[in-house]
Amino acid sequence: MNIIFWIIVGIIAGWLAEQIMGRNHGLLTNLIVGIVGALIGGFIANALGFAWGGWIGSTIVATLGAIILLFLLGLVKRKA
């Protein structure tokens, strides 16, 4: 059940980050961005002492991480 939870949160977070950042990706890319974003967001949240759980908290943390990921990828893409 845990993997299904992270897949759903990843897709939602990736889609939300895509909308906020004005990008246009597919479902698989949204999933990957969302899951990597969840790792980034979780690392940052833990480092700052935040403990958000459940669907809403996990989605917020994953979305913020995905936004950071898309921002950093945008910086790298511009320089290349």
Side-chain angles (χ1 to χ4, degrees), residues 49-71:
F50 293 111
W52 293 6
W55 284 94
I56 295 173
S58 296
T59 303
I60 291 169
V61 168
T63 301
L64 292 174
I67 289 169
I68 292 169
L69 176 63
L70 289 177
F71 175 75

Side-chain angles (χ1 to χ4, degrees), residues 2-70:
N2 199 15
I3 188 82
I4 295 171
F5 171 77
W6 282 112
I7 288 172
I8 293 169
V9 168
I11 290 171
I12 293 169
W15 180 81
L16 286 171
E18 172 187 71
Q19 298 302 310
I20 292 169
M21 296 299 290
R23 307 282 173 88
N24 189 16
H25 303 122
L27 182 64
L28 182 60
T29 303
N30 285 343
L31 172 62
I32 293 168
V33 167
I35 291 175
V36 174
L39 294 172
I40 293 169
F43 177 78
I44 293 171
N46 286 335
L48 296 175
F50 293 111
W52 293 6
W55 284 94
I56 295 173
S58 296
T59 303
I60 291 169
V61 168
T63 301
L64 292 174
I67 289 169
I68 292 169
L69 176 63
L70 289 177

